[in-house]
């Protein structure tokens, strides 16, 4: 029974043909799941619903062939959802990626700052206290503010105290991405809520692959850059 993470890792082998580098691909997504230990686990039905490796490889390959625009792969863990999103807008370092039905994710340097069309959307994220450490691949105290709509359609902001910890290095190969990266795990908490974001960050400070928390309803998503 494959998890989404295993399916993506195996698809990267199919797409690149880099069989001799299989240990690196195992690390690629195992490190992304490590932050969930003891907190959130994939449900059994999510594991069962994960697409077969050839299907995922086909989806990614067809997406790359269809457009020359930047692409990112998104997995929404608790919805059994997986899709390739295409960049539709850019504003300085901010890039918005969307599906055909205009469900979208906005990122800066690969860190998610907003979503639309997912339900219980992340309206915006203040990450000025977090992004520098993540991009520099450094350990230290960080913070972030996440804003969601409440039941009365009012924006509620919560500021989380966080700690970033730099980890080991690995090679990320999937789609047209082939780059060394270093792991940064950011542990955050506020009141009774806590979560861990895991990033694989390139030497240039771009998050190539990650597992990020999008709130209590959407939970964690995995992102994988396919073309920058």
């Amino acid at each position: 029974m494959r998890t989404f993470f295993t399916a993506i890792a195996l698809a990267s082998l199919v797409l690149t043909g880099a069989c001799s580098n299989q240990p690196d691909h195992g690390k690629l997504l195992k490190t992304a799941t490590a932050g969930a230990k003891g907190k959130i686990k994939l449900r059994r039905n999510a594991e069962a619903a994960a697409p077969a490796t050839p299907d995922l490889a086909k989806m990614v390959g067809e997406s790359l062939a269809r457009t020359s625009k930047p692409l990112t792969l998104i997995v929404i863990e608790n919805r059994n959802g997986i899709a390739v999103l295409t960049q539709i807008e850019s504003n300085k370092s901010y890039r918005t990626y969307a599906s055909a039905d205009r469900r979208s994710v906005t990122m800066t340097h690969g860190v998610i700052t907003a979503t639309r069309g997912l339900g219980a959307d992340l309206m915006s994220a203040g990450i000025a206290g977090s992004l520098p450490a993540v991009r520099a691949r450094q350990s230290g105290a960080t913070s972030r503010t996440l804003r969601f709509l409440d039941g009365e359609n009012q924006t509620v902001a919560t500021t989380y105290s966080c700690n970033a910890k730099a980890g080991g290095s690995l090679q990320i190969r999937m789609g047209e991405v082939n780059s060394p990266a270093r792991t940064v795990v950011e542990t955050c908490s506020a009141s009774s809520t806590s979560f861990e974001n895991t990033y694989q960050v390139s030497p240039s400070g771009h998050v190539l692959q990650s597992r990020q928390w999008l709130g209590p309803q959407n939970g964690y998503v995995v992102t994988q850059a396919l073309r920058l």
Side-chain angles (χ1 to χ4, degrees), residues 120-123 147-157 217:
D121 281 310
L122 174 64
M123 303 309 295
R147 303 177 182 90
F148 299 93
L149 294 180
D150 64 11
E152 298 180 351
N153 216 33
Q154 299 296 312
T155 300
V156 177
Q217 294 190 48

Side-chain angles (χ1 to χ4, degrees), residues 189-226:
S189 62
S191 300
S192 60
T193 302
S194 63
F195 59 89
E196 285 184 353
N197 292 335
T198 304
Y199 311 96
Q200 309 295 352
V201 190
S202 73
S204 66
H206 192 91
V207 175
L208 300 176
Q209 193 261 347
S210 72
R211 185 174 187 265
Q212 302 182 48
W213 190 73
L214 294 187
Q217 294 190 48
N218 284 318
Y220 287 95
V221 301
V222 169
T223 70
Q224 171 68 58
L226 301 176

Side-chain angles (χ1 to χ4, degrees), residues 131-206:
L131 187 62
V134 172
R135 295 198 66 211
R137 310 191 294 181
Q138 293 179 345
S139 300
T142 62
S143 65
R144 60 177 51 230
T145 300
L146 304 182
R147 303 177 182 90
F148 299 93
L149 294 180
D150 64 11
E152 298 180 351
N153 216 33
Q154 299 296 312
T155 300
V156 177
T158 303
T159 298
Y160 296 85
S161 297
C162 309
N163 184 69
K165 184 176 181 180
S169 300
L170 71 164
Q171 188 76 15
I172 293 183
R173 299 182 182 92
M174 190 165 183
E176 295 182 3
V177 173
N178 185 350
S179 172
R182 188 177 185 185
T183 302
V184 178
V185 178
E186 185 180 38
T187 305
C188 301
S189 62
S191 300
S192 60
T193 302
S194 63
F195 59 89
E196 285 184 353
N197 292 335
T198 304
Y199 311 96
Q200 309 295 352
V201 190
S202 73
S204 66
H206 192 91

Side-chain angles (χ1 to χ4, degrees), residues 1-69:
M1 182 179 294
R2 296 187 181 97
T3 65
F4 285 132
F5 308 106
T6 303
I8 295 172
L10 291 174
S12 69
L13 292 176
V14 174
L15 289 167
T16 62
C19 296
S20 63
N21 296 308
Q22 187 168 358
D24 284 340
H25 291 288
K27 289 182 182 178
L28 175 78
L29 287 157
K30 286 180 181 178
T31 51
T33 61
K37 187 174 182 180
K39 295 191 176 184
I40 290 182
K41 295 181 180 180
L42 282 172
R43 297 180 300 181
R44 289 295 178 184
N45 63 339
E47 293 179 351
T53 299
D55 293 339
L56 178 56
K58 181 181 179 182
M59 177 177 69
V60 171
E62 289 178 347
S63 298
L64 288 165
R66 195 162 41 237
T67 180
S68 60
K69 294 181 178 180

